[in-house]
C-alpha cells in the first residue's frame, strides 16, 4: 500500500460522512473522497482509483450488497462495509463477494482506523493466496502439458521418460524457450497431425 492512502467513503448521510472524514483525517494522512449517491458507483469509485473503499449502509439487501461489492472492486482493493446490527445476516454473502471487512455494528468513527487496518491486512493475505493459487494452477497445467509431450516422444521414439524429458529440455535450451513452451508446441503440433 502507498504511504498516503486514497480512501473512498460511500455514505449518503452528509453528517455521518463528515464525521467519517474527520475521524480519518485525525488518524492519518489520507486523501478522502465521499460518494453520497450509490448510482453509478463503479464509475465514481474507479474515477478516484482508491486504495481502500469504506461503505456505510444501514440495512443492505442481498442484491444491493452484490451490486456494491461488484462496483467497489473487492478483488482489486480492500473494501470494508459497515451495516446496522439488524443487517448481520448477510455476513457470509459479503465475505463470499470478496469484502475484506463486514462490520455489523455500524460505523463508529473511533473504531475506523483499526477496522480499516484489519481490512487492508486481510485483503493483502487474500490477494497473496489468490496469486499463489493461480501460480499453482499454472504450474500444474504446465506439468500436464510436459507429461503429455513426454508421452508423445516416448511413443514416437520408443524411449523412456528420462530421455523424453532430456529431449524437451535440450530443445528448450537450443531455442531459448521454457520447457513448458516447447512441450506445448509439441502437443499442439501432434494434435494437428492426428
Amino acid at each position: 500500500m502507498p504511504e498516503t492512502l486514497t480512501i473512498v467513503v460511500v455514505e449518503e448521510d452528509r453528517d455521518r460522512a463528515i464525521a467519517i472524514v474527520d475521524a480519518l483525517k485525525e488518524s492519518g494522512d489520507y486523501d478522502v473522497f465521499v460518494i453520497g449517491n450509490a448510482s453509478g458507483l463503479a464509475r465514481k469509485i474507479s474515477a478516484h482509483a482508491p486504495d481502500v473503499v469504506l461503505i456505510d449502509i444501514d440495512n443492505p439487501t442481498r442484491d444491493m450488497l452484490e451490486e456494491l461489492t461488484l462496483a467497489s472492486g473487492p478483488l482489486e482493493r480492500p473494501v470494508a462495509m459497515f451495516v446496522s446490527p439488524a443487517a448481520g445476516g448477510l455476513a457470509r454473502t459479503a465475505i463470499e463477494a470478496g469484502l475484506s471487512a463486514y462490520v455489523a455494528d455500524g460505523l463508529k468513527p473511533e473504531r475506523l482506523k483499526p477496522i480499516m487496518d484489519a481490512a487492508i491486512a486481510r485483503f493483502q493475505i487474500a490477494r497473496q493466496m489468490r496469486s499463489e493459487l493461480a501460480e499453482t494452477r499454472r504450474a500444474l497445467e504446465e506439468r500436464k502439458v510436459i507429461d503429455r509431450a513426454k508421452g508423445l516422444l516416448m511413443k514416437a521414439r520408443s524411449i523412456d521418460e528420462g530421455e523424453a524429458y532430456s529431449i524437451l529440455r535440450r530443445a528448450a535450451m537450443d531455442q531459448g524457450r521454457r520447457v513448458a513452451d516447447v512441450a506445448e508446441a509439441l502437443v499442439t503440433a501432434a494434435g494437428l497431425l492426428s
Side-chain angles (χ1 to χ4, degrees), residues 52-129:
V52 180
V53 177
L54 304 175
I55 302 171
D56 186 27
I57 295 185
D58 281 334
N59 197 9
T61 65
R62 185 176 300 270
D63 291 340
M64 180 188 296
L65 178 65
E66 289 174 10
E67 179 183 339
L68 286 171
T69 55
L70 291 173
S72 57
L75 299 180
E76 300 170 15
R77 65 188 58 88
V79 177
M81 179 176 277
F82 300 86
V83 299
S84 69
L90 295 175
R92 181 178 180 92
T93 303
I95 298 303
E96 287 173 352
L99 287 177
S100 302
Y102 181 84
V103 182
D105 192 16
L107 194 155
K108 295 183 173 71
E110 66 276 4
R111 293 178 40 216
L112 197 56
K113 173 89 168 101
I115 290 172
M116 188 173 67
D117 290 344
I120 291 169
R122 184 170 187 272
F123 171 79
Q124 290 171 336
I125 289 168
R127 181 172 53 188
Q128 180 180 350
M129 288 172 45

Side-chain angles (χ1 to χ4, degrees), residues 146 153 164-186:
I146 291 169
L153 287 171
Y165 187 75
S166 292
I167 291 170
L168 288 173
R169 190 177 62 215
R170 202 170 327 120
M173 289 171 51
D174 291 346
Q175 297 172 23
R177 298 170 62 193
R178 298 176 332 116
V179 172
D181 295 336
V182 171
E184 179 70 37
L186 178 62

